[in-house]
Amino acid sequence: MKEKRLHGVVLLLVGVLLAAAHTADLLLWTETETGFALAGSVWVRYVVWLAALLLPYLPARWAAAQPAALRDRNPALGVCMVLTGVLLVLSGALTFPAAQLVTQFPGLFVSYSPLAAWADVITPVLGGLWLAAYGARAFAGFGIRRERLGSPVLAVVLPLCMLWRLVWRFQFVPASLQRLPCTLRVLSAAAALLFAVVLLKVFLVPGYACGHTLFAAGAGCFLLCTGLELPQTLYEAANGMLTTPDLLTGLGLGGFGLCGLVCAWAAGGADATEQEE
């Protein structure tokens, strides 16, 4: 089998360029406190962000249907999954005192219900534990050759974690069209949710040919979560604008984007369904 990595290399370069461009935008052309654009149209930025989410579906048709690199051991993916899992677990654990406070004094937090507060604790902890567990299995072999890779009931915690993050960002941090960081967070959470759903197919459905969607969803997650949101998270943290749980969540999504890069890289390589001559 002849491996092809062109798509993965291009994806990595585009991610680096997006990160550099977005960092420059935050430093020079965006108001720090409000997130309003000081120069240029917000729609130009939205076009670029939506392109990063949707355009990977065009080259995805040439990706491997069943990436050979994901059939058994994959230490690179394991490292990224463990890192992401640890960050998410920490973000949920550090939210625990706030959830206790909201539960004891619900009248003081009209816009933040106890249910939402505990969801902020439980969903990242469970999703992070699942990622860390499967990341650890990546070093010994979690791949399709093992036939049974885990319980679908337990695996649902990962998309639920990303879905709650999307709902939280859309509802509790309004995505005003003029507030660029808010809108970007919503788009990156949507990208993470799409990738989480496809990732479960790789782990839970042996032999399922999902390499095309894996490349597209993984690439979109990398570009949005790592290439765009991660620089924004670091910039806001440097300016004292984030709580520790929010910082860890942003870093966790950046790590999840690296998982997307590894999967897209694998999908751009050898196809396990091909017969060697």
Side-chain angles (χ1 to χ4, degrees):
M1 283 182 276
K2 183 179 179 181
E3 295 192 8
K4 297 175 292 183
R5 300 294 186 187
L6 177 61
H7 294 161
V9 173
V10 172
L11 175 62
L12 179 59
L13 292 176
V14 171
V16 172
L17 289 175
L18 279 178
H22 190 53
T23 300
D25 191 17
L26 291 170
L27 291 172
L28 303 175
W29 305 299
T30 302
E31 188 176 1
T32 301
E33 296 298 327
T34 63
F36 293 150
L38 297 176
S41 170
V42 296
W43 299 107
V44 173
R45 296 168 172 87
Y46 294 154
V47 167
V48 174
W49 298 348
L50 289 173
L53 179 63
L54 300 176
L55 285 184
Y57 284 88
L58 296 179
R61 69 184 71 181
W62 291 290
Q66 292 184 23
L70 299 179
R71 287 181 66 83
D72 202 34
R73 296 179 65 255
N74 194 308
L77 182 57
V79 170
C80 295
M81 292 178 70
V82 170
L83 173 64
T84 303
V86 170
L87 290 169
L88 290 178
V89 169
L90 289 176
S91 71
L94 291 177
T95 312
F96 182 78
Q100 283 186 311
L101 185 62
V102 172
T103 303
Q104 292 174 357
F105 307 101
L108 299 178
F109 303 91
V110 179
S111 62
Y112 193 37
S113 69
L115 179 62
W118 284 108
D120 281 345
V121 176
I122 295 171
T123 56
V125 167
L126 293 181
L129 288 174
W130 190 92
L131 280 168
Y134 268 79
R137 290 179 61 175
F139 293 95
F142 54 58
I144 293 172
R145 295 173 186 170
R146 310 239 167 209
E147 294 299 328
R148 181 168 177 78
L149 303 176
S151 169
V153 177
L154 296 178
V156 75
V157 297
L158 181 61
L160 278 180
C161 173
M162 301 306 172
L163 176 61
W164 176 248
R165 187 50 41 191
L166 174 61
V167 172
W168 193 97
R169 289 180 170 186
F170 191 79
Q171 182 174 351
F172 294 99
V173 184
S176 167
L177 289 178
Q178 300 300 319
R179 298 188 66 187
L180 298 171
C182 295
T183 306
L184 177 57
R185 289 192 190 96
V186 171
L187 289 176
S188 63
L193 175 60
L194 289 173
F195 176 54
V197 172
V198 180
L199 190 63
L200 295 189
K201 296 179 182 179
V202 176
F203 292 141
L204 302 178
V205 188
Y208 186 73
C210 60
H212 306 303
T213 52
L214 181 67
F215 175 87
C221 185
F222 168 66
L223 294 176
L224 268 296
C225 295
T226 307
L228 291 170
E229 180 170 348
L230 182 58
Q232 180 173 292
T233 297
L234 297 175
Y235 173 79
E236 291 178 345
N239 285 277
M241 301 170 63
L242 297 178
T243 64
T244 302
D246 288 337
L247 171 60
L248 291 171
T249 299
L251 294 176
L253 286 180
F256 196 53
L258 292 178
C259 296
L261 173 63
V262 174
C263 288
W265 187 278
D271 193 332
T273 61
E274 295 177 359
Q275 298 284 333
E276 291 200 50
E277 296 293 335

